[in-house]
Amino acid sequence: MPVAGRPTSKDVAQEAGVSQSTVSLVLGGKWSGRVSPATARSVRTAAERLGYRPNQAARNLRLGTTRTVLLMVPTLTAPFFGPVYTGAARVAARHGFGVVVSTWPDGADGPAESPFPAPHEAIDGVLASSMPAVALDRFHGTPAVLLDSGPDADVPTVDFGVAAGMRAIAAHLAGLGHRRFGHVAAGVDQWTFHARAEALAAEVAALGGTLERSACAIDVASARDAAQRLLARPDPPTALVCDDDLIAAGAYKAARALGLDVPGEVSVTGFDDVLLATALEPELTTVRLPAEEMGAQGMTALLELLDGGRPAPRVLPGRLVVRGSSAPPRAPL
Amino acid sequence: MPVAGRPTSKDVAQEAGVSQSTVSLVLGGKWSGRVSPATARSVRTAAERLGYRPNQAARNLRLGTTRTVLLMVPTLTAPFFGPVYTGAARVAARHGFGVVVSTWPDGADGPAESPFPAPHEAIDGVLASSMPAVALDRFHGTPAVLLDSGPDADVPTVDFGVAAGMRAIAAHLAGLGHRRFGHVAAGVDQWTFHARAEALAAEVAALGGTLERSACAIDVASARDAAQRLLARPDPPTALVCDDDLIAAGAYKAARALGLDVPGEVSVTGFDDVLLATALEPELTTVRLPAEEMGAQGMTALLELLDGGRPAPRVLPGRLVVRGSSAPPRAPL
DNA sequence: CTGAAAGCGCTTACAG
DNA sequence: CTGAAAGCGCTTACAG
């Protein structure tokens, strides 16, 4: 018997000849010992025949939950955040959660731009990536996990081992014989870049090398200029350590503009290991960060938190990937 | 008077000394002529004092709507989809809609992987990008708009003018003097790549040139091999037309492996104009596709559809961006 | 083993 | 101009 509009549990009940509560019990998987197997079967059959799908809004209203979490990122146009989302959504789906995305602070949504309540008012938790802790203020009290934002927060955190990654880069270059380092640094006020700068400075000092620093925005042209400033010094670095792969692409350009061969005359390293790293020529020595794993671990921590747990801070190690952009320095003339 | 838990419209009513329906009327903006301005003001004050936010689940249940649309994309790790999302979310937010993302067919969610109802069961509409029309089957009847999937669908569409873009590439190269073309083609069964191939073939034929085609996956290594096959022919092309920027990066590698200078000995063009295009050396001649605009226009069309309209198909023109990777062919020896 | 009933928090006729 | 009431579709005590 066809039903007008989308079928409800009441329609299924009528079709199966049982009460609506029985339908709910069976389809909710809470029937064993309470409903006879035969009845359960007939409910399932009826539900299938009618193409019944439970109404989420009613379920949410009744349970006071939305099974939706918000992933907040600074931008979706950087290659880093796609994988983070993918990992988070994978874990979320396994637990019946959906993930909505918003960008902040330049976000597409939010009360400032819209007269409507922002969609993220209806969420159970927040996953915020690459943000200062104050970004969580607007969610007063909503369970939250911070990703890639540093371990010093009063919510659970998941971070990359960027300090160890930078040390691995420096050790690799030092092993090749480099002593004069240039740091083409992202001039961006995020924990990860502060941590990278600090670790590099400490490691170079420990190795007895010298380090000059030049800051830039995270774009190719700005990185090229910053790298050029370093290479134009009287006693230029033999290795340019770049804060990410895109910046490294700018360093390549600076080297080429000055007629310097990479890696013959100057070594260049990146960080992140995005697609770009192997698209460049020579391919880039860099540190691979498990972005998708960060999304997955972050969601796992958030679900633990929603479950009443106290997930411990996690640190995901990066891995040095040596490719063609690093080599021993040219012997002094 | 503090209220336990999150305040409801009933709490606001009590605080303001009015009925709950009056609160709903005022806060829903439907009060003019029905509630006195003074009462309205006191309701607003009470709501603010209590930090009241309407419960979306209740609202959705009552209205039978979710104000949520699903953006379905093949993958989130390609650089194209971040901007599409951003544009869609911007327009959606202006109309009080949220956007959830899912990937298909390799999706993180969906009934196959999860015993729970997929979150996207609770949506008002679907925006599907770079998909065959059959991808919409599982949403039987949900209003949908197809992006970047070709104009031949029985739902509204938004596409790029890829044919015109390819013609512009071919005309540009022909203007430089090229006659022997190689097409490093994405061997991916998507409308956009079929359209690119067809347009290029037609234009080269019209110009009286020759065209060889070599297919590859959309990754650097596969593209390099495909380009190498073309360049190894007895009478190799003087220009490699690549189906996207990443493929062009592979073509650069093939040229370098054979000791061929770009653009001195072989010209290379891309498509899309992603970040990579200016990270390469030389910078890539390509066609810029307005991805964010596609997201925005798609959402506009979907909202129109939800409003009962019949949005016309839209085509967003690309723009040829000439950079350093294209030059006149080397004079025959 | 099964069903009648309450109630989640809204919006919107309907009655005054 | 304002309020009492119905009802959206669920889940879950509660009663039998």
Side-chain angles (χ1 to χ4, degrees), chain A residues 9 20 24 30 52 59 62:
Chain A
S9 60
Q20 187 264 344
S24 186
K30 307 201 167 155
Y52 170 70
R59 187 162 202 281
R62 174 62 226 236

Side-chain angles (χ1 to χ4, degrees), chain A residues 45 52 73 85 95 109 119 123 157-158 167 204-205 221 239 250 259 302 308 312 326:
Chain A
T45 313
Y52 170 70
V73 297
Y85 172 87
H95 294 82
D109 54 16
I123 53 167
T157 57
V158 182
R167 284 196 296 270
V204 168
L302 182 55
S326 51

